[in-house]
Amino acid sequence: MQIVVKPLRIGIAKNDKKMEIRKAKKKDLREIASIFREETSKKPYNKRWTNKETFDIIKKSFKKNEINLVIMGKEIAWFAISYIKPNKKAAFVDELWFKEKYQKKGFGRDLMKFLEDKYKKRGIKELGLTVNQKAGAVHFYNKLGYKKKYAFFH
C-alpha cells in the first residue's frame, strides 16, 4: 500500500455527463455495502467478505465519516468515504469504490474534484488516500496529480 497526497486548489469538474453527487443516507447503506463487497472481491484485493461483514463496515463508517455518492439515474455508481484528520489540516479518503461499468468514463475524476473542492472550502490544505500498488487506481490518482508520499506493507 502507499499513501498518496495532493495539495488542494479549487477548480471545476469537466465532466458534463448527467450525474448527481450527494451525501449518503441511511437507506443507501445496503447498496454501498454491495458495491464494496463486489469490487473488493476482485484482483488485486481478493477479499471474501459476507454481506453482514461489509454492511457492518459501511454502517460504522457512516456513523463516523462522510460518505458521498455519485448517482447515475437511480443507481449508486460510486461512493467515497472520507474524513478530516484530527490536525484539521488534511483530509483523508478512506475508501473510494465504483461499479465496474462506470470506470474510465470521467466520473471518478469528477468525484475526486468534488471532494477536493469540498475540503478546500473548509480550509483543508491536503487530501490523502491509500491505494494498493497493484491496483489500476494508481494510474488514475497519478493523472489527477496525486504524488506518492510513502509506502507501507501489511
Side-chain angles (χ1 to χ4, degrees), residues 77-141:
W78 287 66
F79 75 89
I81 300 172
S82 60
Y83 60 90
I84 295 174
K85 293 184 122 188
N87 68 11
K88 307 280 189 216
K89 294 178 183 177
F92 196 79
V93 178
D94 196 35
E95 300 287 351
L96 188 137
W97 296 95
F98 50 94
K99 291 182 178 177
E100 189 171 0
K101 70 181 181 179
Y102 294 107
Q103 293 179 19
K104 300 182 183 188
K105 297 190 181 348
F107 302 117
R109 178 188 63 235
D110 288 348
L111 180 56
M112 289 303 297
K113 188 72 187 136
F114 171 82
L115 293 171
E116 291 168 4
D117 289 349
K118 175 176 80 166
Y119 287 119
K120 178 67 177 174
K121 288 174 186 173
R122 293 182 186 176
I124 301 300
K125 305 290 186 212
E126 186 176 82
L127 183 63
L129 52 95
T130 57
V131 62
N132 185 310
Q133 293 179 88
K134 295 179 183 176
V138 172
H139 178 69
F140 167 73
Y141 293 120

Side-chain angles (χ1 to χ4, degrees), residues 18-104:
K18 299 223 187 248
M19 66 179 198
E20 173 192 1
I21 300 177
R22 67 167 172 81
K23 283 183 82 170
K25 300 172 185 167
K26 195 171 185 176
K27 68 177 185 155
D28 300 317
L29 299 185
R30 291 217 182 274
E31 188 175 353
I32 295 166
S34 176
I35 295 168
F36 186 61
R37 184 179 54 260
E38 174 68 25
E39 296 305 321
T40 59
S41 72
K42 298 174 183 174
K43 288 182 182 182
Y45 312 101
N46 301 315
K47 300 286 185 184
R48 297 290 178 247
W49 284 322
T50 65
N51 290 347
K52 182 179 180 343
E53 288 170 325
T54 53
F55 182 75
D56 289 346
I57 290 167
I58 298 303
K59 186 176 172 185
K60 182 178 177 184
S61 290
F62 181 74
K63 289 179 180 177
K64 67 178 191 164
N65 302 308
E66 294 183 35
I67 303 179
N68 289 280
L69 310 174
V70 171
I71 308 293
M72 299 297 296
K74 295 183 181 198
E75 174 180 50
I76 297 172
W78 287 66
F79 75 89
I81 300 172
S82 60
Y83 60 90
I84 295 174
K85 293 184 122 188
N87 68 11
K88 307 280 189 216
K89 294 178 183 177
F92 196 79
V93 178
D94 196 35
E95 300 287 351
L96 188 137
W97 296 95
F98 50 94
K99 291 182 178 177
E100 189 171 0
K101 70 181 181 179
Y102 294 107
Q103 293 179 19
K104 300 182 183 188

